[in-house]
Amino acid sequence: MLKVDGITVCYGKIPAVRNVSLEVEEGELVTLIGANGAGKTTTLRAISGMLPLATGSITFRGQPIGNSSARNVLAMGIAHCPEGRRVFPQLTVRENLEMGAYLRKDRDGIARDLERIYDKFPRLKERLHQAAGTLSGGEQQMLAIARALMSRPKMVLFDEPSLGLAPNLVERTFEIVLEIRREGTTVLMVEQNALAALELCDRSYLLETGQVVEHGTGSAMLENPHIQKAYLGG
Ligand code: ATP
């Protein structure tokens, strides 16, 4: 479904991601793991059209998307749920959700999806008219996920959705990611907690200093001695 082929992405002249290739099949939950600064966020931002490619190509459902605008990538069905939540703080919860659907014209479909979101995230329903900036961290994370779903994506890119959340909310966030996948949406997720990322996923890629150094099924990666030593506490 998504094919990233040998991409290099630079900030100025300095490459943050070098010759990275990865694939995500329809219906899969794939994770990207690696230490701080390994290039995980940069890879997601290149996929969603926020950063240009210095080399390589990206295709989604057979169509080239490398170097497309973020708007085009969203229109093709990839929603990005960024690190640090990034909700619109001055807008209400409801307005944030509507922003997620800004490319859609099907008013009835949007209304139905809002109802579905309220079922899935009852806390958001209780706070529809509250400014998003006044929500708790966990609530903002739920809103960021819900907003991404409002575009009715075929694939969601999650960037560390559990970052900074209390343990019970981390678990809830992972449950929601699994639910989204069960409902048929393909997921590519950056996650720094390697154990959680490998237990949840179908397959995973490990990035080190901007390059893919290991990839495989979650269970194979859990058994990998290098990963055990460096990322799973031995
Ligand atoms: P983290 O888990 O800490 O978010 P990451 O794996 O997502 O790490 P990236 O954010 O992709 O890593 O960063 C990869 C490299 O690119 C790092 O060396 C980082 O310092 C550099 N980098 C990231 N953003 C910028 C930027 N806007 N300008 C310059 N360098 C950047």
Side-chain angles (χ1 to χ4, degrees):
M1 185 180 212
L2 176 76
K3 193 166 191 295
V4 172
D5 192 8
I7 65 167
T8 297
V9 184
C10 301
Y11 294 106
K13 289 212 160 80
I14 301 167
V17 157
R18 284 172 294 149
N19 195 29
V20 162
S21 296
L22 62 89
E23 283 189 48
V24 184
E25 302 294 340
E26 187 157 4
E28 269 192 316
L29 195 178
V30 173
T31 53
L32 275 183
I33 61 171
N36 281 321
K40 307 179 298 295
T41 296
T42 302
T43 303
L44 286 198
R45 298 185 78 215
I47 295 169
S48 60
M50 291 189 264
L51 290 172
L53 308 181
T55 67
S57 65
I58 304 176
T59 56
F60 182 62
R61 305 172 89 214
Q63 304 285 324
I65 59 165
N67 294 319
S68 302
S69 68
R71 185 195 166 97
N72 271 347
V73 174
L74 179 64
M76 288 177 75
I78 300 182
H80 188 139
C81 189
E83 190 177 9
R85 315 187 247 280
R86 308 258 172 87
V87 295
F88 301 107
Q90 264 97 34
L91 299 186
T92 65
V93 168
R94 165 103 194 198
E95 287 163 343
N96 267 274
L97 291 172
E98 287 167 352
M99 289 295 284
Y102 85 105
L103 289 181
R104 294 174 60 182
K105 301 274 184 288
D106 56 326
R107 283 172 172 270
D108 294 350
I110 293 172
R112 273 198 303 277
D113 284 351
L114 278 171
E115 289 303 322
R116 249 182 250 141
I117 292 286
Y118 300 157
D119 287 344
K120 204 191 272 300
F121 304 96
R123 285 287 276 274
L124 295 182
K125 186 176 182 185
E126 290 163 18
R127 290 166 170 72
L128 281 184
H129 305 294
Q130 190 173 326
T134 64
L135 296 174
S136 73
E139 290 162 356
Q140 289 189 29
Q141 184 59 69
M142 297 305 151
L143 179 56
I145 295 173
R147 187 182 58 188
L149 296 179
M150 282 305 295
S151 66
R152 221 185 244 188
K154 297 183 176 67
M155 178 169 191
V156 184
L157 310 178
F158 285 110
D159 197 346
E160 306 224 31
S162 70
L163 193 72
L165 298 182
N168 61 329
L169 279 179
V170 169
E171 226 161 89
R172 176 70 192 127
T173 306
F174 289 148
E175 274 169 25
I176 288 171
V177 171
L178 287 171
E179 231 170 84
I180 289 169
R181 194 274 292 269
R182 246 193 329 271
E183 289 163 2
T185 307
T186 306
V187 175
L188 176 60
M189 176 168 75
V190 163
E191 177 53 55
Q192 224 186 93
N193 178 337
L195 181 62
L198 295 177
E199 283 177 344
L200 279 177
C201 72
D202 299 309
R203 290 186 306 109
S204 186
Y205 292 81
L206 168 63
L207 285 176
E208 285 180 356
T209 56
Q211 289 179 295
V212 173
V213 293
E214 304 277 0
H215 66 97
T217 61
S219 45
M221 298 275 276
L222 282 166
E223 298 296 318
N224 177 309
H226 167 63
I227 293 174
Q228 286 188 347
K229 189 152 175 276
Y231 298 93
L232 301 171

